Every structure is written in structure tokens, then in C-alpha cells.
């Protein structure tokens, strides 16, 4: 995570909506999808990394995409200059750990 200046995240309800958000986020700005977390009962979050302005643009695009589908975004955040210890949380949800080889 030390190569990135920000992280951004969106939480909504349902895989279809979070996929739409992630797609919009990646198309809107130069960000990398770090991972996702299916919290409980269908609540799911997607996490991206990039520079601050890219994460802000990406999160805004992701929120708009979900809302355009008629769904609700429960929360969204951009964290500029995240503390290095946040990697302990984010690494748990990395795609490389969540997806089978």
C-alpha cells in the first residue's frame, strides 16, 4: 500500500451493484481494485487504491453508477494518505487471497 496515496471504498447491497460500482470506478480513474468484502446478509464493499484525485473521481463514479441502477450506497469513503497499518485490514480482503488459484 505504500505506493498509493489514497484508498477508496463503496458499500452497497448485492454483488451486481458492487460489480457495477467497481467497473465504473476503474473506468473513471486510474485506480486498482484491491479487493472486496461480503460483510453479511448481502452487504458488500469494494476497495480501490490510487492517488487522491483518482480515488475521489472513482468513488464518485461508483456511487453514481449504483444510484443510476436504483440501488442505495450505504457508505463511501476516500482516505488520503492512509496509515500503513490499514494494510493489515486491506490485505485480508485482497483479491489474491479471496480468489482460488
Amino acid at each position: 500500500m505504500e505506493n498509493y496515496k489514497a484508498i477508496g471504498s463503496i458499500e452497497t447491497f448485492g454483488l451486481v451493484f458492487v460489480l457495477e460500482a467497481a467497473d465504473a470506478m476503474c473506468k473513471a480513474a486510474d485506480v486498482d481494485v484491491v479487493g472486496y468484502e461480503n460483510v453479511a446478509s448481502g452487504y458488500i464493499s469494494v476497495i480501490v487504491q490510487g492517488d487522491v484525485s483518482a480515488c475521489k473521481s472513482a468513488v464518485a463514479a461508483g456511487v453514481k453508477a449504483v444510484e443510476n441502477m436504483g440501488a442505495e450506497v450505504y457508505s463511501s469513503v476516500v482516505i488520503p494518505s492512509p496509515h500503513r497499518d490499514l494494510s493489515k485490514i486491506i490485505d485480508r480482503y485482497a483479491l489474491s487471497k479471496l480468489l482460488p488459484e
Side-chain angles (χ1 to χ4, degrees):
M1 181 162 55
E2 51 277 343
N3 293 334
Y4 296 98
K5 297 181 182 175
I7 56 174
S9 184
I10 293 177
E11 182 177 66
T12 189
F13 187 82
L15 182 62
V16 171
F17 299 122
V18 87
L19 284 174
E20 181 69 13
D23 183 60
M25 292 167 87
C26 290
K27 289 177 179 175
D30 185 20
V31 293
D32 296 317
V33 174
V34 176
Y36 67 96
E37 167 62 5
N38 189 350
V39 181
S41 302
Y43 290 97
I44 188 164
S45 301
V46 62
I47 303 166
V48 297
Q49 293 179 328
D51 66 39
V52 176
S53 62
C55 283
K56 286 181 179 181
S57 296
V59 168
V63 167
K64 183 176 180 181
V66 171
E67 290 173 345
N68 285 346
M69 293 181 72
E72 185 177 348
V73 172
Y74 295 104
S75 62
S76 64
V77 67
V78 173
I79 303 174
S81 303
H83 190 278
R84 67 178 181 267
D85 284 351
L86 286 183
S87 66
K88 295 174 185 175
I89 297 169
I90 293 171
D91 289 348
R92 179 176 177 191
Y93 304 110
L95 292 174
S96 61
K97 293 185 180 180
L98 295 172
L99 300 175
E101 293 181 25

